[in-house]
Amino acid sequence: MLRVSALEKRFGGLAALNDVSFSVAPGQIKSVIGPNGAGKTTLFNLIAGTLSPSAGDIHLDGVSIAGLPAAAIGAAGVARTFQQPRVFASLSILENAMLGGHRFHKGGFLACGLGLRHTRREEEKLRARAEKWLDFAGIQSIKHRNASELPLGQQRYVEIARAMATGAKLILMDEPAAGLDETETKELGEMVRAIRGTGTTVLIIDHHMDFIMSLADEVLVLNFGQWLAEGTPSQIQNSEIVIEAYLGSDDDA
Amino acid sequence: MSILTFIKQDAVHLNTARVALFLTAILLVPVVFGIGYYLNMMIFIAILSLPAMGLSLLSGLSGQLAISHGAFFAIGAYASAILSTNIGINPVLSTLLAQMIVALVAAAIGAVVLRLRSHYLAIATLSFAIIVELVIKEWSGLTGGMQGMLNIPAMGALGREATSDIQYYYIYWPITALLLLFALNLSSSRIGRALRAIREGEPIVDSLGIQAAEYKIGIYIISSVFAGVGGALYAHFVGFVTPATGSIMFAIEIIMVLALGGFDRLWGALVGVVLITLLNEYALGFADYKKIILGVTLIAVMLVFPRGLLPGLIDLARSNKYGRTA
Amino acid sequence: MTSLIVSDLIQIVMTTLTVGSMYALIAVGVSLIYSATGVINFAQGEFVMLSGMTVASLYGSMGWPLTTAIAVALVVVLFYAALLTLLTSILAARISLIGVLIITIGASIATQGIAARIWDSDTHRFAPFSGEDPIRILDATISPQALWIVGVTAICIAGLIWFMRSTMAGKAMRACSLDQAAATMVGIPVKATVLLSFTLSGLLGAVGGILTTPLTTIDANSGMLLAIKGFTAAMLGGMGSIPGALFGALLIAFVETVTVTVGSSAFKELPTFTIIILVLLFLPRGLVGGRNEIGLQHEDLTRQ
C-alpha cells in the first residue's frame, strides 16, 4: 500500500537519506530501526509531507504523494504520532479527538457562524466518531479533561485516538514507546496490534528491540541514511550486517 | 429532557438564548428610560462593538493581533459612503456591497501577511493601515481627501429612512446582536476548534488533513468584515466620514477595547467598548488628556493583567473566593 | 541640460543621505533594543520628539545656550530610556512580546499627550547650527545643517560599531542578543545590558532630534511616524543588524526622495510601506540578514 522508491533527502550537501526503497503491505506492522542519525524521522517527515524529497518517489495505494503539502497527504490517509506527544494542550481530550474527524465535514465559516442545522448535525457525528476512538484508545472516561493535564504516556493515547479518527489508512508512529516503563510498553504493543486489527497499516520507529521484535511483521533497518537490511524480525536479529552496525553504536540500540 | 438540558447540549442554542436575552434587555432600555441623549452613546457602542468583536475573534481564536481593523472600518465606511452618495445605491445595499469590497481586500492582504506571526504580523498590518490612511487622504477625487465626505444618506430603504436616534437604536442593536451571535457560534463551532488548534501547532493540524492556511485567511476575512460593517453603519449614522475614521489612533483604540475586555472574550469586547465610550464621553475634554489616559491605561492593564483587564479581574475574584490553592 | 541632471543627482544624493541619516539613527536604535530584548519599541520616535522639543523650547524660545539645551535634552532622553527599560523589560518580564509591543504603543501615545500638555501641539524648530545660508554645488543647494546631520550620524554609528566590537560592554550586548540564558550563566548582567541598549538607543534618537529639528521641524505627535519608518528600515535590513539598519534607512530615504522628485510628494510614504510588506513576506530575515527567531510560546497574545 506504501511504496517508497529511491528516496533521497539532502540538507545542503549532506544526505540525510540516500536511495532508500521499500514497501509496506496493507494491514502490516512494519518497523523502521537504526542508530541515531540513521534518517528514520527524516523518512517519516518525507512521507507525511513535512519535508519534500530531493529525489525519488512515494506512492500511497498507487498514487504518488511525494512533495505534496502535509495537509493533502493527511487527507490522502496518512496520520502520524510524534516523538514528543503533540496534543493540543488548551483543548479537551474529546476536542483533540474531534479534530481527527474534522476533515470529513464541510461546514464553512458562514454555515458555522449562522449555526445552520447541518453544521450541528455534523458536530454530533464528529463527536460520536471521536468518542468511538477514545473508547478504542481507552481514554473515554477522561475525555473532558484538558489534554495538557495528562501524563506523557496518556497523551500518546490521545494522539492515537486523534490519528485513528482521521480515518487514516496508514499511521506513522515515531518512537511511541519512548519514556514508557515495561508494563506501559506492553500495553502500547497491544494497542498497536488493535490498530492493525482495524485494518490500518502501521509504520513504526522505535529503539526498544524487544518491543519491536515481538510486534513487527517486518523490519527495515537504516544506517547513515542508507537502506541496510529488511526482513522478518528473526531474519534481522540474525543478520550479521545489522549486528555489526549496531555494535558500533551499542548505547542507543 | 428539560429545556435547560436541551439548551446545554447544543452550543448554538445556548448562544442564541444568551444573545436573545441580551437583545431583549437592550431593546427594553428606551421603553424603561425613555428617549434621551444616552441613546446616541448607545448607538456608538453598537457600532464600535463590531470592529472590537472582529478583532476579538481574530485574537481570541488565532492568538494573533492585527492593527488593520481601523483600516477595514474606514474601507467599509468609505466604500458604503461612495456607493450611496456618488452612485446613489440605497444605503442598505451599499452597506452590503461595501462588505464585498472589504472581504476582497482582506483576502488579498490576508493571503500576503498571514504567513507572518506575532509582532511581525502586527507591523505588517500596521503598514497596511498606514497605506489605507494615505490613500484616503490623497485620493481626494474619490474620498474627498482631508475634508472627507459629507451628506452621506441616512440608513434606510424603499423611501423609509431612519431619522431619529431611537430609530437607529432599533436598527443597529439587532444587527450588532446578530453579529455577536454569529461570532459566538463560529467560536464554539468546529471552525473555532480548528483555529484554536492551529495556534498551538500548524504542522500538527496539517497532518490531520486540515488546510490551516485557509482557516487563517478565513478568520481574517470574517474578522475584517465585522470592522467593515461597523464602518458602514457609522458612515450612515453620522452622515460624514473623514480620514480620522481610519486613523492609527482609532486602530489603537480598538486594541485598547480588547485590553480592557480581554483578548479572547467576545462579551468582554462589548464591556470594553462601553468603558472606552464612557471614557471618551465624560473623562476626556481634550485630545491630549485622552492620549495620556489611553496610553497609561494600556500600559497598566498589560503589565498587571496581560490577558486583559476583565479576565484578570475575574481570575482575581475567583482566586479570592476559593483561596490561594484554587 | 547636463548640469541640470547632475545637479538633480547631487540633490537626490544629498537628500537621501540627510533623510537616511535620520532614519538610520532610529533604525539602529530599534535594532539595538530588538537584539538585547526581542522587543520592538514602538516608542522609539519619542526619543527624537522629546529631544527636539526640549532644545526647541530651551534654546529656540528661551534663549539658553545651545550646549546647555542639548545637555538637558540628553538627560531627559536618558530618563525616558530608563523608564522604558523598566516598563518593557523589568516589569514586563513574563509578558508575551506582542504584549510588550502594546505596552510600547501605550508609552508612545501617552508621551505624545504629555508632550502636548507640557508644550503644545504646534510645530517647533530652532536655528541651524551654522546659519541658514545654503551651500551651492553646481545648481544644487544644500543646507549646512544637512552636512551636520550626515557627519554627526556617521560619527555616531561608526562609534557604536566600534563600541559593540571592541569594548566589554559591547561584547556583553552581543552575547545577550545571541542567547540571554547563556549570557546569564557566564555572568553577564543581563538587566544592566538591557538598560545599556535602551540608553544607547535613546541617545541615538536624541542626536537625531537635535540635528534634524532645524530642518524638518518637530511637534508632539512626530514620534510615531518616525518610529514606524525606523522599524521599517530595521526590518528591511534585517532586525538586529546595525549595518543592515543603516542600509535599510538609506534605501527607504532613497525611494522616498526619488518618489518626491519624479512623482508627487503626496504619495511619498506609499512605496515605503509597500516595501515593508513585501520584505516581510519574501525576505523575512531582511535584505542583509539579521537575527530572526521567536520562541513559539512568546507569540501568543492570550497566553503567558
Side-chain angles (χ1 to χ4, degrees):
Chain A
M1 62 118 24
L2 182 76
R3 203 177 74 239
V4 170
S5 25
L7 198 63
E8 188 181 315
K9 179 68 192 178
R10 299 185 161 277
F11 294 106
L14 278 167
L17 212 59
N18 194 7
D19 193 25
V20 170
S21 303
F22 67 95
S23 54
V24 186
Q28 211 182 30
I29 297 176
K30 182 146 186 165
S31 174
V32 184
I33 62 169
N36 276 336
K40 304 180 298 284
T41 300
T42 305
L43 174 68
F44 269 26
N45 282 335
L46 290 169
I47 298 174
T50 314
L51 296 173
S52 50
S54 311
D57 212 344
I58 304 165
H59 288 269
L60 182 72
D61 285 336
V63 182
S64 170
I65 56 167
L68 290 182
I73 292 176
V78 177
R80 68 189 297 192
T81 68
F82 296 85
Q83 205 167 348
Q84 293 287 323
R86 289 166 79 176
V87 295
F88 302 117
S90 67
L91 303 183
S92 74
I93 290 160
L94 177 64
E95 285 181 301
N96 265 275
M98 284 170 84
L99 277 159
H102 188 90
R103 69 185 182 92
F104 294 109
H105 299 288
K106 286 200 256 327
F109 280 83
L110 289 180
C112 286
L114 295 172
L116 297 184
R117 193 167 299 253
H118 76 89
T119 67
R120 280 137 68 191
R121 238 180 279 127
E122 274 178 9
E123 192 73 6
E124 275 162 34
K125 279 190 203 152
L126 206 51
R127 194 188 169 100
R129 183 186 183 87
E131 300 214 349
K132 174 182 147 197
W133 291 111
L134 288 174
D135 230 8
F136 174 84
I139 44 175
Q140 167 79 271
S141 57
I142 47 169
K143 66 184 177 192
H144 290 302
R145 285 176 61 185
N146 235 332
S148 59
E149 297 167 15
L150 298 186
L152 230 60
Q154 277 190 312
Q155 290 191 10
R156 182 70 69 210
Y157 287 90
V158 177
E159 273 195 315
I160 290 172
R162 189 176 68 192
M164 292 305 287
T166 65
K169 296 185 268 193
L170 170 68
I171 289 196
L172 311 174
M173 303 179 89
D174 194 349
E175 294 195 40
L180 300 188
D181 67 24
E182 212 169 311
T183 328
E184 288 170 328
T185 307
K186 222 174 234 168
E187 284 169 4
L188 183 74
E190 289 311 312
M191 177 53 51
V192 177
R193 283 194 195 91
I195 293 172
R196 177 179 54 185
T198 67
T200 310
T201 310
V202 181
L203 191 58
I204 186 168
I205 294 176
D206 218 288
H207 282 303
H208 296 56
M209 276 307 145
D210 298 344
F211 174 64
I212 287 302
M213 292 304 167
S214 65
L215 186 66
D217 301 313
E218 262 193 344
V219 179
L220 164 70
V221 189
L222 295 179
N223 195 22
F224 296 112
Q226 307 263 10
W227 185 98
L228 187 71
E230 204 174 346
T232 63
S234 60
Q235 282 170 336
I236 293 299
Q237 271 169 318
N238 299 318
S239 157
E240 281 184 20
I241 301 179
V242 176
I243 294 168
E244 206 175 293
Y246 268 82
L247 282 178
S249 55
D250 207 11
D251 49 299
D252 74 26
Chain B
M1 183 160 54
S2 79
I3 291 175
L4 218 73
T5 56
F6 176 66
I7 286 177
K8 260 189 188 157
Q9 276 190 342
D10 190 324
V12 174
H13 287 140
L14 184 63
N15 294 337
T16 313
R18 282 182 177 158
V19 173
L21 202 66
F22 170 71
L23 183 62
T24 313
I26 287 281
L27 295 183
L28 283 175
V29 167
V31 178
V32 176
F33 295 99
I35 289 170
Y37 174 68
Y38 76 91
L39 282 178
N40 187 277
M41 242 166 71
M42 293 281 287
I43 294 166
F44 277 115
I45 291 173
I47 293 171
L48 294 180
S49 294
L50 293 172
M53 284 177 344
L55 187 59
S56 170
L57 262 181
L58 185 73
S59 67
L61 291 180
S62 72
Q64 304 290 327
L65 187 73
I67 313 189
S68 50
H69 278 57
F72 284 113
F73 186 89
I75 293 175
Y78 271 94
S80 192
I82 291 164
L83 288 170
S84 58
T85 315
N86 299 0
I87 307 181
I89 296 171
N90 91 54
V92 174
L93 210 57
S94 73
T95 298
L96 293 174
L97 284 175
Q99 303 324 310
M100 314 255 294
I101 296 171
V102 169
L104 282 176
V105 177
I109 289 296
V112 174
V113 301
L114 287 176
R115 277 193 267 155
L116 304 165
R117 288 198 209 186
S118 188
H119 43 324
Y120 286 85
L121 178 65
I123 299 292
T125 51
L126 173 70
S127 297
F128 165 71
I130 291 170
I131 292 174
V132 170
E133 197 181 347
L134 280 168
V135 170
I136 288 174
K137 278 182 184 160
E138 303 299 340
W139 195 355
S140 44
L142 189 70
T143 62
M146 293 300 287
Q147 276 76 47
M149 299 181 65
L150 295 171
N151 303 322
I152 299 167
M155 187 55 83
L158 306 169
R160 295 172 68 91
E161 285 178 349
T163 48
S164 63
D165 280 0
I166 186 80
Q167 284 170 333
Y168 274 103
Y169 186 93
Y170 279 114
I171 299 170
Y172 280 13
W173 267 108
I175 295 176
T176 299
L178 282 177
L179 284 170
L180 171 64
L181 177 59
F182 184 96
L184 288 168
N185 282 343
L186 194 62
S187 168
S188 55
S189 75
R190 61 192 270 286
I191 305 258
R193 188 183 309 123
L195 282 161
R196 287 191 186 92
I198 287 167
R199 81 196 232 177
E200 286 192 33
E202 221 172 308
I204 321 171
V205 175
D206 275 333
S207 81
L208 301 172
I210 303 169
Q211 300 274 4
E214 284 177 15
Y215 283 81
K216 280 163 65 183
I217 292 181
I219 194 64
Y220 186 69
I221 295 174
I222 296 275
S223 146
S224 303
V225 167
F226 268 66
V229 174
L233 296 188
Y234 173 84
H236 294 292
F237 174 60
V238 299
F240 64 89
V241 284
T242 64
T245 310
S247 68
I248 303 301
M249 270 310 286
F250 179 62
I252 291 173
E253 240 175 82
I254 301 172
I255 295 172
M256 173 83 184
V257 165
L258 296 204
L260 292 174
F263 289 96
D264 55 355
R265 278 152 208 256
L266 288 158
W267 291 98
L270 283 180
V271 177
V273 171
V274 171
L275 289 177
I276 213 148
T277 309
L278 291 175
L279 213 68
N280 274 335
E281 191 69 25
Y282 296 111
L284 314 164
F286 298 96
D288 305 339
Y289 285 121
K290 177 175 166 175
K291 278 187 166 176
I292 298 172
I293 294 181
L294 213 63
V296 171
T297 315
L298 212 46
I299 295 172
V301 168
M302 291 311 292
L303 283 179
V304 183
F305 302 115
R307 288 170 54 229
L309 179 65
L310 190 67
L313 289 177
I314 291 172
D315 286 352
L316 208 63
R318 276 207 190 118
S319 66
N320 279 344
K321 197 168 165 189
Y322 299 114
R324 285 200 163 265
T325 49
Chain C
M1 192 66 202
T2 331
S3 95
L4 191 72
I5 290 172
V6 170
S7 69
D8 273 352
L9 281 179
I10 294 175
Q11 199 83 61
I12 288 178
V13 170
M14 268 322 285
T15 312
T16 301
L17 284 176
T18 317
V19 176
S21 296
M22 174 75 256
Y23 293 169
L25 288 169
I26 304 172
V28 170
V30 168
S31 225
L32 274 180
I33 292 178
Y34 180 82
S35 283
T37 61
V39 168
I40 289 187
N41 179 22
F42 204 88
Q44 191 73 22
E46 311 311 325
F47 292 129
V48 179
M49 185 273 289
L50 286 173
S51 66
M53 293 291 267
T54 305
V55 176
S57 62
L58 295 183
Y59 168 67
S61 315
M62 296 160 70
W64 289 29
L66 180 60
T67 43
T68 319
I70 290 177
V72 174
L74 293 181
V75 171
V76 168
V77 166
L78 287 181
F79 269 110
Y80 191 67
L83 180 68
L84 282 182
T85 312
L86 182 71
L87 290 178
T88 61
S89 301
I90 295 172
L91 294 179
R94 287 178 57 240
I95 296 172
S96 67
L97 286 176
I98 192 145
V100 178
L101 176 70
I102 296 178
I103 291 177
T104 64
I105 291 177
S108 171
I109 56 178
T111 310
Q112 289 170 27
I114 292 168
R117 291 318 304 163
I118 295 177
W119 294 289
D120 48 42
S121 300
D122 301 332
T123 53
H124 295 258
R125 74 186 286 262
F126 49 87
F129 303 160
S130 313
E132 309 266 7
D133 297 332
I135 303 165
R136 298 186 68 87
I137 302 174
L138 296 177
D139 284 330
T141 56
I142 292 153
S143 148
Q145 190 69 21
L147 297 180
W148 274 103
I149 294 174
V150 176
V152 175
T153 303
I155 293 168
C156 283
I157 290 179
L160 182 72
I161 292 175
W162 171 82
F163 177 82
M164 296 294 283
R165 297 223 168 118
S166 312
T167 64
M168 274 314 284
K171 285 177 183 162
M173 278 176 73
R174 286 167 67 200
C176 271
S177 79
L178 292 174
D179 187 340
Q180 268 198 10
T184 313
M185 281 204 290
V186 297
I188 292 172
V190 172
K191 276 181 187 160
T193 310
V194 169
L195 178 62
L196 180 64
S197 75
F198 270 92
T199 304
L200 288 176
S201 162
L203 288 177
L204 290 176
V207 168
I210 294 163
L211 287 172
T212 57
T213 301
L215 266 193
T216 58
T217 74
I218 200 114
D219 67 73
N221 301 326
S222 299
M224 197 184 278
L225 189 64
L226 285 174
I228 293 170
K229 289 280 175 58
F231 46 69
T232 307
M235 277 191 186
L236 199 57
M239 269 293 179
S241 147
I242 294 176
L246 189 60
F247 176 73
L250 288 171
L251 185 64
I252 289 180
F254 177 71
V255 170
E256 279 184 15
T257 309
V258 172
T259 313
V260 173
T261 312
V262 303
S264 80
S265 63
F267 283 101
K268 172 180 124 191
E269 324 277 4
L270 206 52
T272 311
F273 292 103
T274 315
I275 288 174
I276 187 172
I277 294 183
L278 294 179
V279 167
L280 282 172
L281 260 189
F282 296 110
L283 299 164
R285 280 164 189 273
L287 294 172
V288 178
R291 229 162 57 83
N292 181 22
E293 77 274 350
I294 314 161
L296 199 78
Q297 66 276 21
H298 279 125
E299 292 183 352
D300 207 306
L301 188 61
T302 52
R303 307 275 162 67
Q304 290 162 60

